[in-house]
Amino acid sequence: MDEPPLAEVGPGAEPERVKILLVDDNPDNLLALEAVLQRPDYELVRATSGEEALKRVLHDEFALILLDVAMPILDGFQTAALIRQRRKARRIPIIFVSAMMQEVAHVFEGYEVGAVDYLLKPFDSHALSAKVKVFVERYRQGRELERQERALRRLERRERLQLESLYDVTFEEAPVGIGHASVTGRWMRVNQRLLDIAGRPREEILRLTLPEIVVTQDRGSILEDIHAILSGQAQKRHGEYRFLRADGSTVWTALTLSLLRDRDRKPVQLTIVEDITEEKRLAASLEAAEARFARLSESGLIGIVYERADGVVLDANEAFLSMIGRSRDELEAGQIHMRELTPPEYDEADGHARAELRDHGIARPYEKELVRADGGRTAVLVGCAAFAPPDQGVIGFAVDVTDRKHIEQERARVVRELRDAVRARDDFLSLAAHELRTPLTPLVMQISNLLSLAREHKVPSDADWLVKQVEPIDRALNRLRRLVGTLLDASRAVGELRLERVELDLANLVREIVERTRGDMERAGCDVTVRTESVVGRWDRTHLEQLVGNLLSNAMKYGARKPIEVDVEQDAGLARLSVRDHGIGIAPEDQQRIFERFERLVPVRHYGGLGVGLWIVRQIVLAHGGRTWVESTPGEGARFVVELPR
Ligand code: ADP
């Protein structure tokens, strides 16, 4: 610091000594002046001629010159004129001292007012010192002002320097790349960050232009931007460009171009560069993630729903909307609430899910139903995850499991049926064993009886006796044969029936069978009435015999020893056979299932049977393209009807 700071030059400080030049060829006059002006803060310098005065002025700085007008060689005016020619002394005020009024009268014409004055000899010492004091004061003020100005300028310079160095540091340290280029595009100054982004050393960058450091594909548009700002079309241009680095890699940058002017008003191209590679990468991966999610959302494979913390559905994909049968307009109007979509019986499951969401942020998948707008329901598998913080709502998925539910139900039905079938078969086996044993017992007894008689040679030779002995054997064997036949039929799969059609009259066939079973009828206590009209058709004789036999034996078995009516009639193109009894009858809800295999309504203790008779009847009727049914009131008997196309 070569000069004192401003604050030290203020009121209270010692006044500065100022120099006053006294010019007079007469030493007495000089002495007189000195006597009057003698003061500690004045330094009085004397000159005895104009020439000397000029010399003094060259060497020293004076606050004031007192100049005698009447001097030899150079008089006062000439001296003053010469002093005025010197740049340094031009502004020094001059007081001309003269004995004659006329001499000084025109003084003011040639000089600036304020810079010059005059004094008449003999002078009044008070007036002189007062005058001098005024000038000295003025000089001091001027000096003071100058000093202040100088100090200010110094301060300004210091601040500017500080600012400049601050700017330099900022420029260098800036987290964005900054570069100045001339209008020709040549880089003049670039900061470290720009070098880092461009991936090139400073000396290389300074040999290149901006378009030369971007990838070829981007060159055209950056040239356009540069042209726009240089031509004044735009104040600023912003764009995204790829820099080609020395190692061949590229970086995405956000670039701002503008035009500045330097101190000399020369245009400078300002380039500000930010590395946005990471943002680009993030944006791209975000976009890809969004696209993947969108694909899933649009695929219709799963419903996706976004609900607010209070349960209002804010967004949902089409798949979800179709599961609940609601429109996008309703969704956008905020009219869909999760609560309304849940049937009350799932409140508990939903409660569990909410607790899980609260505690773990997710609710594991569970099955429920969604209520559709039309009141129907969609079976779904749902799961959801809460956003953090929880007031950000919940995102959930729903998979329509209606089909799977159907399959499950179907599977359960099949399992149930299979289980029933297995049980029925077990029942059937024990029934079959029971049934087979029934005729076997008298058969064995009768045969062993005959055998022991034969061994003892007690067998009478008359035929009547023999017939009597063999008849029960024959009946038992016949019954066994029928049973075995039925067993065989029962074991056959549906549809395996083969028909051998022959032309026959159903009326004749029915009468024959009734005749054949009349003995059994009588034993069962049933009186049979047959009403027939001849109906000829092409049917399988053996199977029809079996059919009629089964219906008659049921009528006997369940007919409660009451009369049986058998009718055969013709109706349009078909034959109708009906067998009517007045026995226990069949409840309406059972009238269908008795035609199924192994279906029985009665306990085996009271009524023997394998539960396949009516099933066989139906198989035979179906094979002939006909139909069969039962009409009955429980307790009042049953009428079995068979219709066969002819
Ligand atoms: P089952 O050998 O048991 O008689 P069916 O298939 O012939 O087998 O008959 C099935 C079931 O239908 C019987 O067990 C019985 O409960 C009922 N049923 C059949 N015919 C009659 C009928 N005429 N009256 C009342 N119930 C009958």
Side-chain angles (χ1 to χ4, degrees):
M1 263 197 247
D2 40 7
E3 292 204 38
L6 268 186
E8 289 173 34
V9 191
E14 239 349 75
E16 188 194 4
R17 256 168 86 90
V18 297
K19 288 183 177 164
I20 300 171
L21 182 61
L22 309 174
V23 189
D24 202 314
D25 58 328
N26 183 341
D28 294 336
N29 284 345
L30 286 173
L31 258 175
L33 283 172
E34 280 169 352
V36 174
L37 298 174
Q38 198 64 53
R39 279 175 54 143
D41 57 335
Y42 291 174
E43 186 183 336
L44 304 171
V45 178
R46 47 164 68 200
T48 51
S49 68
E51 291 87 339
E52 196 188 347
L54 283 171
K55 253 187 248 159
R56 292 277 181 209
V57 166
L58 273 182
H59 287 111
D60 274 321
E61 189 190 332
F62 294 98
L64 176 69
I65 301 171
L66 272 83
L67 187 57
D68 182 30
V69 175
M71 285 190 298
I73 310 169
L74 278 177
D75 69 16
F77 295 131
Q78 287 168 322
T79 307
L82 287 168
I83 287 172
R84 291 282 187 252
Q85 283 173 13
R86 312 230 140 118
R87 214 169 64 87
K88 200 179 156 196
R90 189 175 298 154
R91 299 205 164 267
I92 306 174
I94 296 171
I95 300 178
F96 292 103
V97 184
S98 176
M100 288 183 292
M101 185 60 198
Q102 309 91 290
E103 265 186 346
V104 291
H106 66 281
V107 158
F108 293 102
E109 290 166 19
Y111 298 94
E112 289 172 44
V113 180
V116 74
D117 205 343
Y118 70 95
L119 201 67
L120 284 178
K121 281 192 272 195
F123 45 77
D124 169 6
S125 60
H126 281 294
L128 170 63
S129 75
K131 226 182 244 292
V132 166
K133 204 174 163 196
V134 168
F135 278 102
V136 166
E137 214 37 59
R138 207 181 285 165
Y139 169 78
R140 281 212 173 104
Q141 282 169 1
R143 288 272 298 171
E144 180 62 19
L145 261 172
E146 266 173 40
R147 201 179 13 243
Q148 287 186 1
E149 258 171 39
R150 267 201 310 278
L152 250 174
R153 270 199 301 278
R154 248 191 345 268
L155 196 74
E156 276 172 6
R157 198 170 61 239
R158 215 163 44 219
E159 276 178 356
R160 201 173 59 238
L161 282 172
Q162 264 175 4
L163 265 175
E164 274 172 9
S165 69
L166 212 63
Y167 172 78
D168 282 349
V169 173
T170 314
F171 183 88
E172 267 314 311
E173 302 285 308
V176 292
I178 309 173
H180 297 161
S182 70
V183 286
T184 64
R186 184 87 43 210
W187 291 111
M188 301 185 299
R189 192 177 177 194
V190 292
N191 72 350
Q192 188 54 44
R193 182 72 188 129
L194 191 138
L195 296 173
D196 294 345
I197 296 173
R200 293 171 194 269
R202 191 177 298 269
E203 57 282 4
E204 187 186 334
I205 280 281
L206 295 180
R207 284 198 304 270
L208 298 168
T209 62
L210 177 59
E212 285 169 332
I213 61 172
V214 300
V215 298
T216 338
Q217 303 95 295
D218 293 354
R219 225 160 261 172
S221 54
I222 207 162
L223 281 167
E224 243 171 59
D225 279 358
I226 294 172
H227 176 75
I229 59 147
L230 289 181
S231 65
Q233 266 171 41
Q235 292 242 306
K236 224 177 224 177
R237 270 295 168 99
H238 188 83
E240 291 183 353
Y241 296 104
R242 283 158 291 177
F243 275 16
L244 180 64
R245 296 160 65 98
D247 63 8
S249 63
T250 54
V251 282
W252 269 106
T253 65
L255 215 126
T256 308
L257 284 172
S258 53
L259 207 62
L260 301 177
R261 299 221 174 247
D262 67 6
R263 261 191 220 118
D264 308 324
R265 310 284 309 142
K266 273 213 308 238
V268 175
Q269 216 176 284
L270 170 69
T271 307
I272 293 176
V273 191
E274 275 178 275
D275 184 345
I276 53 164
T277 311
E278 187 59 14
E279 283 96 317
K280 280 268 177 195
R281 202 186 56 74
L282 276 177
S285 72
L286 205 70
E287 219 171 90
E290 266 174 15
R292 284 195 288 268
F293 184 72
R295 181 73 196 96
L296 181 66
S297 175
E298 289 157 8
S299 69
L301 288 172
I302 69 172
I304 295 171
V305 57
Y306 172 51
E307 58 183 275
R308 213 162 57 187
D310 62 2
V312 170
V313 175
L314 291 182
D315 199 5
N317 66 350
E318 292 307 321
F320 187 82
L321 289 175
S322 85
M323 282 177 200
I324 57 172
R326 307 284 282 261
S327 70
R328 188 152 288 282
D329 287 346
E330 288 173 276
L331 171 82
E332 278 162 10
Q335 290 167 353
I336 306 180
H337 198 290
M338 226 35 193
R339 227 181 7 249
E340 299 154 15
L341 301 179
T342 304
E345 62 265 38
Y346 292 97
D347 280 351
E348 202 185 323
D350 275 10
H352 278 305
R354 269 197 301 278
E356 250 195 314
L357 261 185
R358 197 183 46 235
D359 298 342
H360 309 292
I362 58 160
R364 280 166 306 168
Y366 62 103
E367 281 186 4
K368 65 180 255 183
E369 286 177 318
L370 291 174
V371 178
R372 303 171 52 82
D374 60 13
R377 291 180 180 193
T378 308
V380 283
L381 176 75
V382 294
C384 54
F387 288 98
D391 61 357
Q392 295 290 300
V394 168
I395 186 151
F397 75 88
V399 181
D400 190 333
V401 292
T402 314
D403 288 349
R404 222 197 63 207
K405 279 271 150 197
H406 282 158
I407 291 170
E408 266 174 24
Q409 280 162 6
E410 184 61 14
R411 190 182 298 142
R413 195 185 60 77
V414 170
V415 167
R416 217 171 31 244
E417 276 183 9
L418 274 175
R419 205 182 295 128
D420 290 351
V422 169
R423 203 176 37 235
R425 179 157 294 198
D426 289 347
D427 292 350
F428 173 74
L429 284 174
S430 74
L431 273 184
H434 179 84
E435 285 293 297
L436 285 170
R437 211 173 48 197
T438 311
L440 217 52
T441 314
L443 186 64
V444 169
M445 270 171 59
Q446 193 67 5
I447 295 275
S448 70
N449 192 27
L450 273 176
L451 203 61
S452 58
L453 284 175
R455 281 198 187 113
E456 290 165 20
H457 304 283
K458 289 182 184 163
V459 182
S461 60
D462 78 293
D464 286 349
W465 182 85
L466 196 62
V467 169
K468 222 175 150 209
Q469 296 302 315
V470 175
E471 257 177 1
I473 297 176
D474 182 50
R475 264 204 310 277
L477 278 175
N478 268 326
R479 194 166 171 193
L480 272 177
R481 189 174 51 84
R482 274 202 307 278
L483 272 170
V484 171
T486 307
L487 276 178
L488 211 61
D489 287 336
S491 70
R492 277 203 199 108
V494 181
E496 270 181 19
L497 226 54
R498 275 233 177 73
L499 299 184
E500 269 175 45
R501 289 180 189 266
V502 290
E503 194 171 285
L504 58 93
D505 186 340
L506 186 62
N508 290 342
L509 184 126
V510 169
R511 285 189 176 283
E512 273 170 33
I513 298 170
V514 171
E515 281 321 310
R516 223 187 283 155
T517 54
R518 202 167 280 281
D520 292 337
M521 294 283 186
E522 276 162 13
R523 272 190 292 282
C526 296
D527 190 13
V528 190
T529 315
V530 183
R531 280 191 304 262
T532 60
E533 62 186 42
S534 158
V535 191
V536 178
R538 288 185 61 80
W539 300 297
D540 182 303
R541 176 180 284 276
T542 321
H543 283 122
L544 285 199
E545 280 177 2
Q546 199 180 0
L547 180 154
V548 177
N550 285 357
L551 290 181
L552 285 176
S553 87
N554 278 353
M556 274 189 277
K557 206 171 359 168
Y558 306 108
R561 310 178 73 82
K562 289 184 182 156
I564 295 169
E565 293 105 41
V566 181
D567 287 84
V568 174
E569 58 187 4
Q570 180 169 201
D571 187 357
L574 49 83
R576 183 177 303 114
L577 159 72
S578 68
V579 178
R580 185 180 173 87
D581 65 61
H582 300 275
I584 58 173
I586 301 152
E589 64 271 21
D590 296 323
Q591 289 174 8
Q592 283 283 326
R593 68 179 178 99
I594 52 172
F595 290 95
E596 299 296 330
R597 191 151 57 157
F598 309 138
E599 287 291 350
R600 304 191 77 238
L601 308 176
V602 288
V604 73
R605 274 185 286 121
H606 297 135
Y607 304 95
L610 297 174
V612 290
L614 286 179
W615 177 74
I616 288 169
V617 166
R618 198 175 65 150
Q619 298 311 306
I620 293 168
V621 170
L622 290 178
H624 281 91
R627 55 189 197 119
T628 178
W629 69 93
V630 63
E631 297 158 0
S632 171
T633 308
E636 290 180 15
R639 175 174 179 248
F640 284 85
V641 186
V642 168
E643 281 180 357
L644 298 173
R646 290 161 63 200

